[in-house]
């Protein structure tokens, strides 16, 4: 597709389970970002990938969170042993030019941890 | 540490009014500033991107200005319409990674 694609759009899970969220960026975009938007809070940066460089993981809230990007394209955000405070919308964005480029966001994956 | 503030948090106007949304940031050393729109339950739609060397950008009824020295940006919406109702987010890129720091947003309601 033409835009950033994320799946699943909605995920309900039980506390303690692991979840995987997927992001398919715009073709040709080398930069990929994950953000989290919690109820009543702003958007929080999680992790950034640029080409084959080591990712910037400075925003990951705990070691239960990890992400990978395979082949410079699709990315997966994994949350292990989910907690209720992990409930949020997880947004993925991609950009053609990391420094000056416009970021394009997907529709997000809404995670609810019961 | 870069901080982004948007005022007001919410705004309600009658259809047809011109309006201004404000965004301020604490560190003037930015690469660019981007305005987004977010509809309820949806992702973010990019509206305008202003590079650090630019003063303003226009798209249709939208005009965004940037004053780096004072750490301010405004989003001007002309002749507002009910379809403009949404949350508007300002985001600043302070580093060469493209990582954005977001404000809390302004929720706009345009009444018919």
């Amino acid at each position: 597709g033409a835009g950033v694609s994320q799946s699943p759009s909605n995920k309900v899970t039980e506390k303690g389970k692991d979840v995987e969220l997927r992001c398919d960026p715009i073709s040709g975009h080398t930069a990929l970002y994950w953000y989290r938007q919690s109820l009543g809070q702003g958007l929080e940066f999680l992790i950034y990938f640029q080409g084959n460089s080591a990712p910037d993981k400075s925003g990951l809230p705990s070691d239960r969170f990890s992400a990978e990007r395979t082949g410079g394209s699709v990315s997966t955000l994994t949350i292990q042993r989910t907690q209720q405070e992990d409930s949020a919308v997880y947004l993925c964005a991609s950009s053609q030019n990391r420094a000056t480029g416009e970021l394009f966001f997907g529709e997000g994956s809404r995670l609810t941890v019961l | 540490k870069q901080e982004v503030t948007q005022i007001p948090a919410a705004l309600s106007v009658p259809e047809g009014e011109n309006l201004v949304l404000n965004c301020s940031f604490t560190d003037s050393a930015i690469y660019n500033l981007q305005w987004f729109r977010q509809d309820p339950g949806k992702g973010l739609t990019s509206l305008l991107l202003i590079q650090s060397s630019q003063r303003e950008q226009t798209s249709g009824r939208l005009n965004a200005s940037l004053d780096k020295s004072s750490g301010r940006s405004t989003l001007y919406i002309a002749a507002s319409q009910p379809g403009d109702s949404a949350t508007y987010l300002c985001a600043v890129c302070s580093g060469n990674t493209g990582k954005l720091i977001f404000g809390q947003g302004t929720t706009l309601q345009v009444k018919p």
Side-chain angles (χ1 to χ4, degrees):
Chain A
V4 177
S5 178
Q6 291 189 245
S7 62
S9 55
N10 280 285
K11 175 72 175 180
V12 180
T13 190
E14 294 179 348
K15 178 181 172 181
K17 300 282 189 183
D18 297 351
V19 297
E20 286 190 350
L21 307 176
R22 175 190 168 103
C23 172
D24 198 345
I26 293 172
S27 178
H29 281 195
T30 57
L32 186 148
Y33 309 80
W34 283 98
Y35 285 83
R36 176 169 74 173
Q37 188 173 34
S38 304
L39 188 63
Q41 304 216 3
L43 276 94
E44 172 189 18
F45 166 79
L46 297 177
I47 189 168
Y48 154 71
F49 296 89
Q50 171 63 47
N52 295 320
S53 302
D56 176 353
K57 304 179 183 180
S58 60
L60 294 178
S62 78
D63 59 7
R64 295 186 295 104
F65 288 72
S66 64
E68 63 177 20
R69 189 178 184 191
T70 54
S73 180
V74 172
S75 176
T76 302
L77 177 68
T78 301
I79 308 173
Q80 295 178 311
R81 304 180 302 282
T82 51
Q83 303 294 313
Q84 288 184 331
E85 61 263 29
D86 299 334
S87 296
V89 177
Y90 290 82
L91 292 158
C92 176
S94 70
S95 171
Q96 192 171 36
N97 182 321
R98 63 177 183 176
T100 59
E102 192 173 1
L103 262 67
F104 294 89
F105 280 80
E107 293 287 295
S109 292
R110 180 176 297 277
L111 174 65
T112 302
V113 182
L114 302 176
Chain B
K1 177 186 171 185
Q2 179 73 271
E3 293 182 0
V4 181
T5 303
Q6 291 187 246
I7 295 173
L11 182 63
S12 181
V13 301
E15 181 177 5
E17 274 204 6
N18 303 323
L19 57 101
V20 174
L21 307 181
N22 296 293
C23 172
S24 61
F25 46 96
T26 54
D27 185 349
S28 62
I30 66 171
Y31 278 75
N32 63 54
L33 183 146
Q34 199 165 348
W35 282 93
F36 294 89
R37 167 186 174 138
Q38 186 174 33
D39 292 287
K42 300 290 187 181
L44 277 66
T45 300
S46 177
L47 297 174
L48 290 163
L49 169 69
I50 311 177
Q51 303 296 346
S52 61
S53 59
Q54 297 174 324
R55 297 282 293 184
E56 66 177 343
Q57 283 286 335
T58 299
S59 176
R61 295 182 293 107
L62 305 180
N63 176 277
S65 69
L66 174 63
D67 183 343
K68 274 201 322 178
S69 60
S70 66
R72 294 173 189 267
S73 175
T74 61
L75 179 67
Y76 175 82
I77 303 177
S80 58
Q81 303 171 358
D84 294 331
S85 298
T87 295
Y88 290 81
L89 293 156
C90 166
V92 168
C93 175
S94 294
N96 64 358
T97 63
K99 187 167 63 178
L100 296 178
I101 307 298
F102 282 85
Q104 294 287 327
T106 295
T107 299
L108 171 66
Q109 181 184 34
V110 181
K111 299 177 184 175

